[in-house]
Amino acid sequence: MQTQVGIIGGGPSGLLLSQLLHLAGISSVMLERRSRAYVLGRIRAGVLEQGFQDLMRRAGAAQRMERDGQVHGGVNIAYQEDRLRIDLEGLTGGKTVMVYGQTEVTRDLYAARDALDGVVIDEAEQVMPHGLEGDRPYLTFVKDGAAERLDCDFVIGCDGFHGVSRSVIPADRLQSFERVYPFGWLGVLSATPPVNEELIYARHDLGFALCSLRGPQLSRYYLQCRADENPDNWSDERFWARLKTQLPAEVAARLVTGPALEKSVAPLRSFVAEPMRWGRLFLAGDAAHIVPPTGAKGLNLAASDIHYLSSALIDWYKRGDSAGLDSYSARALARIWKAERFSWWMTALLHRFPENEGFGNRIQRAEFDYLMSSKAAQTALAENYVGLPY
Ligand SMILES: Cc1cc2nc3c(=O)[nH]c(=O)nc-3n(C[C@H](O)[C@H](O)[C@H](O)COP(=O)(O)OP(=O)(O)OC[C@H]3O[C@@H](n4cnc5c(N)ncnc54)[C@H](O)[C@@H]3O)c2cc1C
């Protein structure tokens, strides 16, 4: 089998890239380890920056997003009983975010790929890149028990944090930076009306809570938990009771509860691998970096990587210009580190850290009070939350 660009991983990064390349007349084959049903069933992010929305439009996959996505001009931060609305739109000259679930984004992108007869090989096992330091790399994999080979010009690792692509880069050619947080998020999806029309990030002495949403009758709530927490230990009753405790009373009073449709624990981690290129292998999205979800940046960073990488590949194929490929890693990392900083800052502001009792708690409160009183601080938050320019 032969193609121009071999893509490992069929998450948002791989899907967006293969679609944008296809529309520019560049062929690709995407190898995904899981079944289509599994990939479409994953519940993950839900807040899209303008840049992500624009890429969906360019990919010709924005129809449902335009219809069902909810535009949010503000976001709320609560500290115990105090609540502050950050006027994203007013503070950033009209910029907003859109609430539209990653599950729906993935569904739309698969539909767009199928409509163009894009080649996606699901349940591709033992995917392995080879020859990355030469001009003719290739991928080997097993499909339905048979060994296969895919020859290509470039290999793009879009296979998430636990994928294979980053692991084939020699240790002396890759530098990793990591912070693992001493807690995770316990998430519940419920078919209930959201408690608030905009997101509420809440910091309470018992820990962090987030009221998010996926639609008018679909809510997503999170509670800070132990990193190794077993979601089965949380009955629906226990979850709702704890959430009510950790929200300001006027919000808790409005909370509509119902059976959990999904309950899962996500660990929190900051991670960056540098550089994002080795020979003919390029990393994009979670394969190269992870942020804690507090700033809603994971999915959005995948989109900015794909923006840079798709333009670079198009320049290479259309004009023989390698400047974009050569500068891809540095360009992407410049934006990634700013999002890493913001996500780390939001996490530090809003969570309960075991080592923070006393001094650290007072600093958190002072940070929140400063945010309440300073338009400059609110503007900085707003500017980062809606997404820094590409
Ligand atoms: C549980 C969870 C909750 C999250 N919540 C949020 C949130 O609330 N807000 C936010 O902004 N971000 C969130 N994120 C982050 C966000 O979902 C990711 O940043 C985003 O999915 C990145 O897209 P990606 O395509 O780079 O990687 P992924 O979506 O991880 O896609 C990688 C794909 O590669 C496939 N793959 C892996 N290994 C191989 C292999 N060896 N061979 C072939 N295929 C392989 C995987 O099956 C997967 O389909 C969450 C992530 C997780 C895991």
Side-chain angles (χ1 to χ4, degrees), residues 8-14 31-34 39 42-46 102 127 158-160 162-164 222 266 284-286 293 296-299 302:
I8 312 177
S13 304
L31 303 176
E32 166 57 48
R33 184 177 54 175
R34 302 285 193 171
V39 173
R42 286 191 294 225
I43 312 284
R44 288 183 171 179
Q102 181 172 340
V127 176
C158 295
D159 48 350
H162 298 288
V164 65
Y222 295 95
D286 278 18
K297 291 285 164 255
L299 182 58

PDB file of all heavy atoms in Angstrom, residues 8-14 31-34 39 42-46 102 127 158-160 162-164 222 266 284-286 293 296-299 302, ligand 1:
ATOM      1  N   ILE A   8      -0.726   8.092  12.015  1.00  0.00           N
ATOM      2  CA  ILE A   8      -1.035   7.120  13.080  1.00  0.00           C
ATOM      3  C   ILE A   8      -2.005   7.785  14.050  1.00  0.00           C
ATOM      4  O   ILE A   8      -1.682   8.822  14.630  1.00  0.00           O
ATOM      5  CB  ILE A   8       0.224   6.675  13.847  1.00  0.00           C
ATOM      6  CG1 ILE A   8       1.346   6.286  12.876  1.00  0.00           C
ATOM      7  CG2 ILE A   8      -0.101   5.506  14.773  1.00  0.00           C
ATOM      8  CD1 ILE A   8       2.648   5.902  13.577  1.00  0.00           C
ATOM      9  N   GLY A   9      -3.185   7.192  14.238  1.00  0.00           N
ATOM     10  CA  GLY A   9      -4.156   7.714  15.198  1.00  0.00           C
ATOM     11  C   GLY A   9      -5.328   8.410  14.534  1.00  0.00           C
ATOM     12  O   GLY A   9      -5.159   9.295  13.688  1.00  0.00           O
ATOM     13  N   GLY A  10      -6.528   7.983  14.926  1.00  0.00           N
ATOM     14  CA  GLY A  10      -7.752   8.531  14.335  1.00  0.00           C
ATOM     15  C   GLY A  10      -8.547   9.358  15.331  1.00  0.00           C
ATOM     16  O   GLY A  10      -9.777   9.298  15.355  1.00  0.00           O
ATOM     17  N   GLY A  11      -7.841  10.146  16.163  1.00  0.00           N
ATOM     18  CA  GLY A  11      -8.518  11.112  17.033  1.00  0.00           C
ATOM     19  C   GLY A  11      -8.681  12.421  16.262  1.00  0.00           C
ATOM     20  O   GLY A  11      -8.463  12.465  15.046  1.00  0.00           O
ATOM     21  N   PRO A  12      -9.032  13.510  16.952  1.00  0.00           N
ATOM     22  CA  PRO A  12      -9.241  14.791  16.268  1.00  0.00           C
ATOM     23  C   PRO A  12      -8.036  15.260  15.452  1.00  0.00           C
ATOM     24  O   PRO A  12      -8.205  15.764  14.343  1.00  0.00           O
ATOM     25  CB  PRO A  12      -9.539  15.755  17.416  1.00  0.00           C
ATOM     26  CG  PRO A  12     -10.007  14.901  18.533  1.00  0.00           C
ATOM     27  CD  PRO A  12      -9.364  13.573  18.382  1.00  0.00           C
ATOM     28  N   SER A  13      -6.804  15.062  15.963  1.00  0.00           N
ATOM     29  CA  SER A  13      -5.618  15.528  15.217  1.00  0.00           C
ATOM     30  C   SER A  13      -5.512  14.826  13.876  1.00  0.00           C
ATOM     31  O   SER A  13      -5.376  15.467  12.833  1.00  0.00           O
ATOM     32  CB  SER A  13      -4.319  15.247  15.981  1.00  0.00           C
ATOM     33  OG  SER A  13      -4.325  15.787  17.234  1.00  0.00           O
ATOM     34  N   GLY A  14      -5.547  13.488  13.906  1.00  0.00           N
ATOM     35  CA  GLY A  14      -5.388  12.712  12.678  1.00  0.00           C
ATOM     36  C   GLY A  14      -6.515  12.982  11.696  1.00  0.00           C
ATOM     37  O   GLY A  14      -6.296  13.132  10.486  1.00  0.00           O
ATOM     38  N   LEU A  31      -4.206   5.218  10.271  1.00  0.00           N
ATOM     39  CA  LEU A  31      -4.259   3.913  10.944  1.00  0.00           C
ATOM     40  C   LEU A  31      -4.721   4.124  12.378  1.00  0.00           C
ATOM     41  O   LEU A  31      -4.053   4.838  13.150  1.00  0.00           O
ATOM     42  CB  LEU A  31      -2.875   3.261  10.945  1.00  0.00           C
ATOM     43  CG  LEU A  31      -2.213   3.058   9.575  1.00  0.00           C
ATOM     44  CD1 LEU A  31      -0.797   2.486   9.746  1.00  0.00           C
ATOM     45  CD2 LEU A  31      -3.053   2.120   8.711  1.00  0.00           C
ATOM     46  N   GLU A  32      -5.827   3.548  12.754  1.00  0.00           N
ATOM     47  CA  GLU A  32      -6.389   3.722  14.103  1.00  0.00           C
ATOM     48  C   GLU A  32      -6.457   2.359  14.790  1.00  0.00           C
ATOM     49  O   GLU A  32      -6.963   1.396  14.223  1.00  0.00           O
ATOM     50  CB  GLU A  32      -7.782   4.374  14.020  1.00  0.00           C
ATOM     51  CG  GLU A  32      -8.620   4.312  15.289  1.00  0.00           C
ATOM     52  CD  GLU A  32      -7.979   4.930  16.533  1.00  0.00           C
ATOM     53  OE1 GLU A  32      -7.462   6.050  16.458  1.00  0.00           O
ATOM     54  OE2 GLU A  32      -7.985   4.246  17.592  1.00  0.00           O
ATOM     55  N   ARG A  33      -5.933   2.328  15.996  1.00  0.00           N
ATOM     56  CA  ARG A  33      -5.861   1.062  16.733  1.00  0.00           C
ATOM     57  C   ARG A  33      -7.226   0.532  17.165  1.00  0.00           C
ATOM     58  O   ARG A  33      -7.465  -0.664  17.197  1.00  0.00           O
ATOM     59  CB  ARG A  33      -4.979   1.296  17.975  1.00  0.00           C
ATOM     60  CG  ARG A  33      -4.720   0.060  18.798  1.00  0.00           C
ATOM     61  CD  ARG A  33      -3.792   0.377  19.936  1.00  0.00           C
ATOM     62  NE  ARG A  33      -4.302   1.501  20.745  1.00  0.00           N
ATOM     63  CZ  ARG A  33      -3.729   1.929  21.867  1.00  0.00           C
ATOM     64  NH1 ARG A  33      -2.626   1.363  22.287  1.00  0.00           N
ATOM     65  NH2 ARG A  33      -4.239   2.929  22.546  1.00  0.00           N
ATOM     66  N   ARG A  34      -8.120   1.448  17.499  1.00  0.00           N
ATOM     67  CA  ARG A  34      -9.419   1.036  18.061  1.00  0.00           C
ATOM     68  C   ARG A  34     -10.480   0.884  16.973  1.00  0.00           C
ATOM     69  O   ARG A  34     -10.296   1.308  15.845  1.00  0.00           O
ATOM     70  CB  ARG A  34      -9.914   2.098  19.044  1.00  0.00           C
ATOM     71  CG  ARG A  34      -8.981   2.377  20.178  1.00  0.00           C
ATOM     72  CD  ARG A  34      -9.021   1.279  21.181  1.00  0.00           C
ATOM     73  NE  ARG A  34      -8.364   1.672  22.419  1.00  0.00           N
ATOM     74  CZ  ARG A  34      -8.402   0.959  23.532  1.00  0.00           C
ATOM     75  NH1 ARG A  34      -9.060  -0.190  23.554  1.00  0.00           N
ATOM     76  NH2 ARG A  34      -7.797   1.380  24.604  1.00  0.00           N
ATOM     77  N   VAL A  39     -13.962   4.667  19.276  1.00  0.00           N
ATOM     78  CA  VAL A  39     -13.477   6.053  19.125  1.00  0.00           C
ATOM     79  C   VAL A  39     -14.650   7.041  19.221  1.00  0.00           C
ATOM     80  O   VAL A  39     -14.541   8.092  19.865  1.00  0.00           O
ATOM     81  CB  VAL A  39     -12.726   6.212  17.776  1.00  0.00           C
ATOM     82  CG1 VAL A  39     -12.366   7.677  17.527  1.00  0.00           C
ATOM     83  CG2 VAL A  39     -11.458   5.365  17.766  1.00  0.00           C
ATOM     84  N   ARG A  42     -16.040   7.879  22.975  1.00  0.00           N
ATOM     85  CA  ARG A  42     -15.245   8.517  24.028  1.00  0.00           C
ATOM     86  C   ARG A  42     -15.794   9.901  24.373  1.00  0.00           C
ATOM     87  O   ARG A  42     -16.075  10.707  23.499  1.00  0.00           O
ATOM     88  CB  ARG A  42     -13.789   8.682  23.563  1.00  0.00           C
ATOM     89  CG  ARG A  42     -13.021   7.375  23.557  1.00  0.00           C
ATOM     90  CD  ARG A  42     -11.543   7.592  23.369  1.00  0.00           C
ATOM     91  NE  ARG A  42     -11.234   8.137  22.073  1.00  0.00           N
ATOM     92  CZ  ARG A  42     -10.238   7.693  21.294  1.00  0.00           C
ATOM     93  NH1 ARG A  42      -9.479   6.697  21.690  1.00  0.00           N
ATOM     94  NH2 ARG A  42     -10.001   8.253  20.135  1.00  0.00           N
ATOM     95  N   ILE A  43     -15.940  10.151  25.685  1.00  0.00           N
ATOM     96  CA  ILE A  43     -16.418  11.466  26.154  1.00  0.00           C
ATOM     97  C   ILE A  43     -15.191  12.241  26.616  1.00  0.00           C
ATOM     98  O   ILE A  43     -14.514  11.818  27.553  1.00  0.00           O
ATOM     99  CB  ILE A  43     -17.375  11.330  27.362  1.00  0.00           C
ATOM    100  CG1 ILE A  43     -18.442  10.269  27.116  1.00  0.00           C
ATOM    101  CG2 ILE A  43     -17.971  12.673  27.747  1.00  0.00           C
ATOM    102  CD1 ILE A  43     -19.548  10.663  26.209  1.00  0.00           C
ATOM    103  N   ARG A  44     -14.895  13.344  26.000  1.00  0.00           N
ATOM    104  CA  ARG A  44     -13.712  14.105  26.414  1.00  0.00           C
ATOM    105  C   ARG A  44     -14.005  15.597  26.463  1.00  0.00           C
ATOM    106  O   ARG A  44     -14.895  16.022  27.169  1.00  0.00           O
ATOM    107  CB  ARG A  44     -12.546  13.785  25.489  1.00  0.00           C
ATOM    108  CG  ARG A  44     -11.998  12.365  25.729  1.00  0.00           C
ATOM    109  CD  ARG A  44     -10.816  12.112  24.864  1.00  0.00           C
ATOM    110  NE  ARG A  44     -10.126  10.881  25.198  1.00  0.00           N
ATOM    111  CZ  ARG A  44      -9.060  10.459  24.552  1.00  0.00           C
ATOM    112  NH1 ARG A  44      -8.565  11.157  23.555  1.00  0.00           N
ATOM    113  NH2 ARG A  44      -8.472   9.332  24.899  1.00  0.00           N
ATOM    114  N   ALA A  45     -13.273  16.368  25.669  1.00  0.00           N
ATOM    115  CA  ALA A  45     -13.352  17.828  25.793  1.00  0.00           C
ATOM    116  C   ALA A  45     -14.659  18.400  25.250  1.00  0.00           C
ATOM    117  O   ALA A  45     -15.437  17.692  24.611  1.00  0.00           O
ATOM    118  CB  ALA A  45     -12.166  18.430  25.049  1.00  0.00           C
ATOM    119  N   GLY A  46     -14.865  19.692  25.462  1.00  0.00           N
ATOM    120  CA  GLY A  46     -16.117  20.288  24.989  1.00  0.00           C
ATOM    121  C   GLY A  46     -16.090  21.780  24.719  1.00  0.00           C
ATOM    122  O   GLY A  46     -17.107  22.338  24.341  1.00  0.00           O
ATOM    123  N   GLN A 102     -16.368  17.013  22.082  1.00  0.00           N
ATOM    124  CA  GLN A 102     -15.365  16.332  21.243  1.00  0.00           C
ATOM    125  C   GLN A 102     -15.957  15.088  20.584  1.00  0.00           C
ATOM    126  O   GLN A 102     -15.585  14.730  19.473  1.00  0.00           O
ATOM    127  CB  GLN A 102     -14.152  15.951  22.108  1.00  0.00           C
ATOM    128  CG  GLN A 102     -13.054  15.265  21.324  1.00  0.00           C
ATOM    129  CD  GLN A 102     -11.789  15.058  22.133  1.00  0.00           C
ATOM    130  OE1 GLN A 102     -11.573  15.731  23.155  1.00  0.00           O
ATOM    131  NE2 GLN A 102     -10.944  14.143  21.713  1.00  0.00           N
ATOM    132  N   VAL A 127       0.953  -1.153  15.023  1.00  0.00           N
ATOM    133  CA  VAL A 127       1.454  -0.135  14.086  1.00  0.00           C
ATOM    134  C   VAL A 127       2.893   0.247  14.486  1.00  0.00           C
ATOM    135  O   VAL A 127       3.163   0.521  15.651  1.00  0.00           O
ATOM    136  CB  VAL A 127       0.544   1.112  14.117  1.00  0.00           C
ATOM    137  CG1 VAL A 127       1.124   2.207  13.227  1.00  0.00           C
ATOM    138  CG2 VAL A 127      -0.868   0.758  13.696  1.00  0.00           C
ATOM    139  N   CYS A 158      -0.199  11.079  15.407  1.00  0.00           N
ATOM    140  CA  CYS A 158      -1.374  11.727  16.027  1.00  0.00           C
ATOM    141  C   CYS A 158      -2.002  10.722  16.992  1.00  0.00           C
ATOM    142  O   CYS A 158      -3.227  10.666  17.119  1.00  0.00           O
ATOM    143  CB  CYS A 158      -2.394  12.110  14.958  1.00  0.00           C
ATOM    144  SG  CYS A 158      -1.839  13.352  13.812  1.00  0.00           S
ATOM    145  N   ASP A 159      -1.170   9.908  17.621  1.00  0.00           N
ATOM    146  CA  ASP A 159      -1.686   8.748  18.355  1.00  0.00           C
ATOM    147  C   ASP A 159      -1.751   8.958  19.862  1.00  0.00           C
ATOM    148  O   ASP A 159      -1.696   7.990  20.626  1.00  0.00           O
ATOM    149  CB  ASP A 159      -0.884   7.491  17.993  1.00  0.00           C
ATOM    150  CG  ASP A 159       0.623   7.701  18.048  1.00  0.00           C
ATOM    151  OD1 ASP A 159       1.050   8.863  18.171  1.00  0.00           O
ATOM    152  OD2 ASP A 159       1.363   6.720  17.958  1.00  0.00           O
ATOM    153  N   GLY A 160      -1.893  10.191  20.290  1.00  0.00           N
ATOM    154  CA  GLY A 160      -2.177  10.459  21.701  1.00  0.00           C
ATOM    155  C   GLY A 160      -0.983  10.186  22.609  1.00  0.00           C
ATOM    156  O   GLY A 160       0.094   9.773  22.171  1.00  0.00           O
ATOM    157  N   HIS A 162      -0.352   7.900  24.831  1.00  0.00           N
ATOM    158  CA  HIS A 162       0.144   6.530  25.005  1.00  0.00           C
ATOM    159  C   HIS A 162       0.458   5.852  23.669  1.00  0.00           C
ATOM    160  O   HIS A 162       0.610   4.635  23.610  1.00  0.00           O
ATOM    161  CB  HIS A 162      -0.897   5.693  25.772  1.00  0.00           C
ATOM    162  CG  HIS A 162      -1.159   6.220  27.152  1.00  0.00           C
ATOM    163  ND1 HIS A 162      -0.255   6.117  28.170  1.00  0.00           N
ATOM    164  CD2 HIS A 162      -2.226   6.901  27.661  1.00  0.00           C
ATOM    165  CE1 HIS A 162      -0.738   6.695  29.256  1.00  0.00           C
ATOM    166  NE2 HIS A 162      -1.942   7.177  28.978  1.00  0.00           N
ATOM    167  N   GLY A 163       0.544   6.634  22.590  1.00  0.00           N
ATOM    168  CA  GLY A 163       0.779   6.052  21.272  1.00  0.00           C
ATOM    169  C   GLY A 163       2.206   5.577  21.074  1.00  0.00           C
ATOM    170  O   GLY A 163       3.066   5.705  21.951  1.00  0.00           O
ATOM    171  N   VAL A 164       2.461   5.066  19.870  1.00  0.00           N
ATOM    172  CA  VAL A 164       3.768   4.474  19.588  1.00  0.00           C
ATOM    173  C   VAL A 164       4.752   5.490  19.024  1.00  0.00           C
ATOM    174  O   VAL A 164       5.973   5.342  19.183  1.00  0.00           O
ATOM    175  CB  VAL A 164       3.587   3.264  18.613  1.00  0.00           C
ATOM    176  CG1 VAL A 164       3.076   3.735  17.243  1.00  0.00           C
ATOM    177  CG2 VAL A 164       4.876   2.482  18.436  1.00  0.00           C
ATOM    178  N   TYR A 222     -17.775  17.829  37.014  1.00  0.00           N
ATOM    179  CA  TYR A 222     -16.526  17.216  37.481  1.00  0.00           C
ATOM    180  C   TYR A 222     -16.289  17.574  38.947  1.00  0.00           C
ATOM    181  O   TYR A 222     -16.638  18.677  39.392  1.00  0.00           O
ATOM    182  CB  TYR A 222     -15.331  17.743  36.695  1.00  0.00           C
ATOM    183  CG  TYR A 222     -15.302  17.392  35.229  1.00  0.00           C
ATOM    184  CD1 TYR A 222     -15.810  18.286  34.280  1.00  0.00           C
ATOM    185  CD2 TYR A 222     -14.735  16.203  34.779  1.00  0.00           C
ATOM    186  CE1 TYR A 222     -15.757  17.983  32.926  1.00  0.00           C
ATOM    187  CE2 TYR A 222     -14.680  15.907  33.420  1.00  0.00           C
ATOM    188  CZ  TYR A 222     -15.188  16.797  32.499  1.00  0.00           C
ATOM    189  OH  TYR A 222     -15.130  16.515  31.162  1.00  0.00           O
ATOM    190  N   ALA A 266     -10.224  11.049  35.162  1.00  0.00           N
ATOM    191  CA  ALA A 266      -9.105  11.436  34.291  1.00  0.00           C
ATOM    192  C   ALA A 266      -7.977  11.975  35.175  1.00  0.00           C
ATOM    193  O   ALA A 266      -8.222  12.838  36.027  1.00  0.00           O
ATOM    194  CB  ALA A 266      -9.552  12.503  33.305  1.00  0.00           C
ATOM    195  N   ALA A 284       1.953  15.438  16.616  1.00  0.00           N
ATOM    196  CA  ALA A 284       0.914  16.479  16.753  1.00  0.00           C
ATOM    197  C   ALA A 284      -0.074  16.081  17.843  1.00  0.00           C
ATOM    198  O   ALA A 284      -0.329  14.891  18.061  1.00  0.00           O
ATOM    199  CB  ALA A 284       0.173  16.662  15.423  1.00  0.00           C
ATOM    200  N   GLY A 285      -0.645  17.062  18.512  1.00  0.00           N
ATOM    201  CA  GLY A 285      -1.674  16.806  19.531  1.00  0.00           C
ATOM    202  C   GLY A 285      -1.097  16.126  20.769  1.00  0.00           C
ATOM    203  O   GLY A 285       0.073  16.326  21.137  1.00  0.00           O
ATOM    204  N   ASP A 286      -1.932  15.297  21.391  1.00  0.00           N
ATOM    205  CA  ASP A 286      -1.558  14.670  22.659  1.00  0.00           C
ATOM    206  C   ASP A 286      -0.325  13.770  22.543  1.00  0.00           C
ATOM    207  O   ASP A 286       0.265  13.405  23.558  1.00  0.00           O
ATOM    208  CB  ASP A 286      -2.726  13.819  23.194  1.00  0.00           C
ATOM    209  CG  ASP A 286      -3.765  14.659  23.933  1.00  0.00           C
ATOM    210  OD1 ASP A 286      -3.768  15.886  23.741  1.00  0.00           O
ATOM    211  OD2 ASP A 286      -4.571  14.088  24.691  1.00  0.00           O
ATOM    212  N   PRO A 293      -6.987  19.530  32.114  1.00  0.00           N
ATOM    213  CA  PRO A 293      -8.122  20.074  31.367  1.00  0.00           C
ATOM    214  C   PRO A 293      -8.682  21.396  31.900  1.00  0.00           C
ATOM    215  O   PRO A 293      -9.613  21.951  31.319  1.00  0.00           O
ATOM    216  CB  PRO A 293      -9.182  18.965  31.467  1.00  0.00           C
ATOM    217  CG  PRO A 293      -8.780  18.141  32.638  1.00  0.00           C
ATOM    218  CD  PRO A 293      -7.309  18.274  32.812  1.00  0.00           C
ATOM    219  N   ALA A 296      -9.267  24.070  29.403  1.00  0.00           N
ATOM    220  CA  ALA A 296      -9.919  23.585  28.175  1.00  0.00           C
ATOM    221  C   ALA A 296      -9.015  23.737  26.949  1.00  0.00           C
ATOM    222  O   ALA A 296      -9.439  24.190  25.894  1.00  0.00           O
ATOM    223  CB  ALA A 296     -11.254  24.311  27.958  1.00  0.00           C
ATOM    224  N   LYS A 297      -7.751  23.364  27.090  1.00  0.00           N
ATOM    225  CA  LYS A 297      -6.794  23.635  26.026  1.00  0.00           C
ATOM    226  C   LYS A 297      -6.334  22.390  25.244  1.00  0.00           C
ATOM    227  O   LYS A 297      -5.736  22.524  24.165  1.00  0.00           O
ATOM    228  CB  LYS A 297      -5.538  24.329  26.607  1.00  0.00           C
ATOM    229  CG  LYS A 297      -5.799  25.722  27.074  1.00  0.00           C
ATOM    230  CD  LYS A 297      -5.942  26.690  25.902  1.00  0.00           C
ATOM    231  CE  LYS A 297      -6.568  27.990  26.280  1.00  0.00           C
ATOM    232  NZ  LYS A 297      -7.948  28.175  25.861  1.00  0.00           N
ATOM    233  N   GLY A 298      -6.561  21.168  25.742  1.00  0.00           N
ATOM    234  CA  GLY A 298      -6.004  19.971  25.102  1.00  0.00           C
ATOM    235  C   GLY A 298      -6.403  19.840  23.644  1.00  0.00           C
ATOM    236  O   GLY A 298      -5.558  19.791  22.738  1.00  0.00           O
ATOM    237  N   LEU A 299      -7.675  19.811  23.404  1.00  0.00           N
ATOM    238  CA  LEU A 299      -8.199  19.647  22.053  1.00  0.00           C
ATOM    239  C   LEU A 299      -7.818  20.841  21.181  1.00  0.00           C
ATOM    240  O   LEU A 299      -7.491  20.705  19.991  1.00  0.00           O
ATOM    241  CB  LEU A 299      -9.721  19.519  22.151  1.00  0.00           C
ATOM    242  CG  LEU A 299     -10.506  19.295  20.884  1.00  0.00           C
ATOM    243  CD1 LEU A 299     -10.031  18.038  20.182  1.00  0.00           C
ATOM    244  CD2 LEU A 299     -11.992  19.181  21.222  1.00  0.00           C
ATOM    245  N   ALA A 302      -4.304  20.660  19.902  1.00  0.00           N
ATOM    246  CA  ALA A 302      -4.210  19.705  18.785  1.00  0.00           C
ATOM    247  C   ALA A 302      -4.554  20.443  17.488  1.00  0.00           C
ATOM    248  O   ALA A 302      -3.900  20.261  16.455  1.00  0.00           O
ATOM    249  CB  ALA A 302      -5.164  18.539  19.012  1.00  0.00           C
TER     250      ALA A 302
HETATM  251  C1  LIG B   1     -10.337  11.191  29.641  1.00  0.00           C
HETATM  252  C2  LIG B   1      -9.964  12.483  28.946  1.00  0.00           C
HETATM  253  C3  LIG B   1     -10.690  13.640  29.196  1.00  0.00           C
HETATM  254  C4  LIG B   1     -10.351  14.833  28.566  1.00  0.00           C
HETATM  255  N1  LIG B   1     -11.061  15.966  28.844  1.00  0.00           N
HETATM  256  C5  LIG B   1     -10.705  17.125  28.242  1.00  0.00           C
HETATM  257  C6  LIG B   1     -11.395  18.323  28.498  1.00  0.00           C
HETATM  258  O1  LIG B   1     -12.343  18.346  29.265  1.00  0.00           O
HETATM  259  N2  LIG B   1     -10.981  19.454  27.867  1.00  0.00           N
HETATM  260  C7  LIG B   1      -9.916  19.463  26.981  1.00  0.00           C
HETATM  261  O2  LIG B   1      -9.587  20.496  26.404  1.00  0.00           O
HETATM  262  N3  LIG B   1      -9.255  18.358  26.730  1.00  0.00           N
HETATM  263  C8  LIG B   1      -9.624  17.194  27.324  1.00  0.00           C
HETATM  264  N4  LIG B   1      -8.943  16.064  27.057  1.00  0.00           N
HETATM  265  C9  LIG B   1      -7.859  16.190  26.102  1.00  0.00           C
HETATM  266  C10 LIG B   1      -8.375  16.067  24.685  1.00  0.00           C
HETATM  267  O3  LIG B   1      -9.372  15.094  24.615  1.00  0.00           O
HETATM  268  C11 LIG B   1      -7.192  15.726  23.818  1.00  0.00           C
HETATM  269  O4  LIG B   1      -6.282  16.810  23.884  1.00  0.00           O
HETATM  270  C12 LIG B   1      -7.532  15.432  22.369  1.00  0.00           C
HETATM  271  O5  LIG B   1      -8.269  14.241  22.268  1.00  0.00           O
HETATM  272  C13 LIG B   1      -6.246  15.304  21.544  1.00  0.00           C
HETATM  273  O6  LIG B   1      -6.530  14.771  20.283  1.00  0.00           O
HETATM  274  P1  LIG B   1      -5.480  13.814  19.584  1.00  0.00           P
HETATM  275  O7  LIG B   1      -6.109  13.440  18.289  1.00  0.00           O
HETATM  276  O8  LIG B   1      -4.159  14.466  19.574  1.00  0.00           O
HETATM  277  O9  LIG B   1      -5.335  12.547  20.535  1.00  0.00           O
HETATM  278  P2  LIG B   1      -6.424  11.431  20.897  1.00  0.00           P
HETATM  279  O10 LIG B   1      -7.773  12.005  20.918  1.00  0.00           O
HETATM  280  O11 LIG B   1      -5.907  10.767  22.121  1.00  0.00           O
HETATM  281  O12 LIG B   1      -6.356  10.428  19.671  1.00  0.00           O
HETATM  282  C14 LIG B   1      -5.301   9.522  19.494  1.00  0.00           C
HETATM  283  C15 LIG B   1      -5.801   8.347  18.705  1.00  0.00           C
HETATM  284  O13 LIG B   1      -4.716   7.481  18.427  1.00  0.00           O
HETATM  285  C16 LIG B   1      -5.116   6.143  18.642  1.00  0.00           C
HETATM  286  N5  LIG B   1      -3.907   5.363  18.933  1.00  0.00           N
HETATM  287  C17 LIG B   1      -3.196   5.325  20.072  1.00  0.00           C
HETATM  288  N6  LIG B   1      -2.135   4.504  19.949  1.00  0.00           N
HETATM  289  C18 LIG B   1      -2.189   4.015  18.691  1.00  0.00           C
HETATM  290  C19 LIG B   1      -1.376   3.117  17.981  1.00  0.00           C
HETATM  291  N7  LIG B   1      -0.295   2.546  18.546  1.00  0.00           N
HETATM  292  N8  LIG B   1      -1.708   2.805  16.715  1.00  0.00           N
HETATM  293  C20 LIG B   1      -2.811   3.382  16.121  1.00  0.00           C
HETATM  294  N9  LIG B   1      -3.626   4.243  16.758  1.00  0.00           N
HETATM  295  C21 LIG B   1      -3.312   4.565  18.040  1.00  0.00           C
HETATM  296  C22 LIG B   1      -6.090   6.228  19.812  1.00  0.00           C
HETATM  297  O14 LIG B   1      -6.965   5.112  19.861  1.00  0.00           O
HETATM  298  C23 LIG B   1      -6.810   7.526  19.485  1.00  0.00           C
HETATM  299  O15 LIG B   1      -7.966   7.322  18.705  1.00  0.00           O
HETATM  300  C24 LIG B   1      -9.269  14.868  27.672  1.00  0.00           C
HETATM  301  C25 LIG B   1      -8.527  13.722  27.414  1.00  0.00           C
HETATM  302  C26 LIG B   1      -8.853  12.533  28.055  1.00  0.00           C
HETATM  303  C27 LIG B   1      -8.027  11.295  27.772  1.00  0.00           C
END
